[in-house]
Amino acid sequence: MLERRQFGHTGLDVSIVGLGAGQIGESDVTEAEAAEVLNGALDLGVTLIDTAASYGLSEERIGRHLGARRDEFVLSTKGGPKINGQRDWSPDSVLASIERSLRLTRSERIDIFYLHSCPIGILRRGDLQETLDQAVTAGKIGVAGYSGDNEHLAFAADSGRFGSIETSVNIADQWNLRNVLGRRPELGVIAKRPIANAPWRFVERPAGNYAELYWERLQILDFDPGELDWAEFALRFTAYAPGVHTAIVGTAKLSHLRHNITAATQGPLPDQILEDIDRAWRAVGSDWPAST
Ligand SMILES: NC(=O)c1ccc[n+]([C@@H]2O[C@H](COP(=O)([O-])OP(=O)(O)OC[C@H]3O[C@@H](n4cnc5c(N)ncnc54)[C@H](OP(=O)(O)O)[C@@H]3O)[C@@H](O)[C@H]2O)c1
């Protein structure tokens, strides 16, 4: 059975591998493929699914294919600004985003709602935190969360106004891990981009691809996964990183999810490998900011 962990002090518990539902929001993923990976995830013991208002068809597909299984998983979603591309960090916009997510995911309550990459300047106002508190009181959301990176994340984590954070943590992205995670044990922590967007798929630099920065960093870090395949090497690092409760690997493929779950159940990477990763990071990566 897939291991579960207490999610900070939220009262929730989550599987150590969650499903990142960004990919199933793409229009070139069929309804059948989305249904297969969503239902397959729950059947394999995944109990956390992460989506966002901005992930295309993702929220409505979760509602359509898992509406009848809604009590089997923790749903996290993200929003805040209008989803038409206009940034509008007003309380009304956040409330509208919550209502939309409730409707599309066919939920009576969003278990965790994250302000999605909200900049520190907006966070300092404090009004959106009050909006989230009101949504918790009204029973529309369970936990108020912040999703972001670097100084924005540090401010949110230290503010004491959030119950959970979602942030980039992987072998090629360790700023948040080393500078923020662990400071607040009460926070439930989701590691996003946990296998660094699988950059080893590309022999040549994937110019313009989401994975390009991590591809470049892996060239410099020069890790050796040894006998492990790259996905296992990367995921075992993230899923057992101190302070991480769940690693939400994004995929629209059930075969990949199955592989990732098998990999994560092998446990933490051996100490020697972790020491090698640490040495390489301190040698070349300590100034690298987190990627958003
Ligand atoms: N809050 C935010 O701003 C934010 C930003 C980024 C991501 N996220 C969340 O985090 C989730 C994960 O992040 P991510 O998708 O960017 O990065 P990721 O999980 O590190 O990597 C996902 C990529 O790896 C591939 N993959 C998955 N398992 C694989 C395997 N076993 N072997 C080879 N390739 C594999 C996937 O393609 P296939 O579909 O082919 O498997 C996909 O292209 C997202 O779905 C989303 O929920 C949040």
Side-chain angles (χ1 to χ4, degrees):
M1 191 177 122
L2 189 53
E3 183 188 336
R4 293 192 196 181
R5 295 189 182 122
Q6 284 186 355
F7 194 62
H9 295 181
T10 62
L12 299 170
D13 71 74
V14 295
S15 51
I16 62 170
V17 176
L19 176 66
Q23 283 72 8
I24 64 144
E26 303 289 333
S27 51
D28 59 355
V29 173
T30 66
E31 279 310 312
E33 288 166 337
E36 182 183 54
V37 76
L38 286 167
N39 279 286
L42 298 191
D43 296 342
L44 289 166
V46 168
T47 66
L48 180 127
I49 297 179
D50 179 75
T51 181
S54 56
Y55 292 172
L57 300 168
S58 181
E59 286 188 319
E60 70 177 75
R61 283 178 161 171
I62 290 169
R64 185 175 305 129
H65 300 298
L66 294 184
R69 303 182 71 178
R70 188 58 193 83
D71 57 349
E72 293 180 43
F73 64 100
V74 171
L75 176 67
S76 67
T77 192
K78 304 180 281 294
K82 283 181 183 161
I83 54 156
N84 61 8
Q86 288 284 93
R87 291 263 148 184
D88 171 16
W89 285 109
S90 65
D92 282 351
S93 177
V94 169
L95 279 176
S97 189
I98 291 170
E99 294 293 350
R100 181 177 182 276
S101 293
L102 284 166
R103 180 169 49 81
L104 290 179
T105 63
R106 304 185 193 182
S107 300
E108 289 177 4
R109 192 170 75 151
I110 301 295
D111 299 304
I112 315 163
F113 180 86
Y114 294 99
L115 296 178
H116 199 171
S117 305
C118 182
I120 190 170
I122 305 286
L123 287 177
R124 286 189 204 282
R125 288 189 335 221
D127 57 345
L128 299 185
Q129 291 87 324
E130 285 169 23
T131 303
L132 294 186
D133 288 346
Q134 288 159 9
V136 170
T137 303
K140 292 180 187 293
I141 68 175
V143 176
Y146 176 78
S147 178
D149 302 275
N150 297 312
E151 73 274 22
H152 313 278
L153 177 78
F155 178 88
D158 288 343
S159 70
R161 298 299 304 271
F162 298 99
S164 174
I165 53 174
E166 174 173 328
T167 194
S168 298
V169 178
N170 62 58
I171 49 172
D173 199 337
Q174 299 187 30
W175 193 94
N176 301 317
L177 174 64
R178 289 168 183 260
N179 292 287
V180 180
L181 268 60
R183 291 219 294 240
R184 290 268 183 174
E186 71 272 23
L187 292 171
V189 177
I190 291 181
K192 66 180 165 88
R193 307 181 78 183
I195 60 168
N197 305 125
W200 53 85
R201 291 174 292 170
F202 305 99
V203 178
E204 303 288 336
R205 170 190 293 274
N209 187 283
Y210 200 35
E212 183 178 4
L213 175 67
Y214 290 151
W215 185 91
E216 187 177 279
R217 286 184 177 185
L218 283 193
Q219 301 296 309
I220 299 167
L221 286 160
D222 200 24
F223 292 140
D224 176 10
E227 293 175 350
L228 305 178
D229 71 65
W230 273 103
E232 176 171 346
F233 177 73
L235 185 54
R236 287 173 67 185
F237 173 82
T238 303
Y240 296 92
V244 167
H245 297 126
T246 184
I248 49 167
V249 190
T251 186
K253 298 192 180 89
L254 186 55
S255 59
H256 278 172
L257 181 61
R258 202 175 272 126
H259 180 87
N260 297 334
I261 288 172
T262 302
T265 54
Q266 304 308 306
L269 290 171
D271 288 345
Q272 183 58 56
I273 296 180
L274 288 173
E275 284 165 25
D276 292 346
I277 292 173
D278 181 61
R279 194 176 313 106
W281 184 267
R282 284 190 283 108
V284 297
S286 49
D287 292 337
W288 291 344
S291 185
T292 54

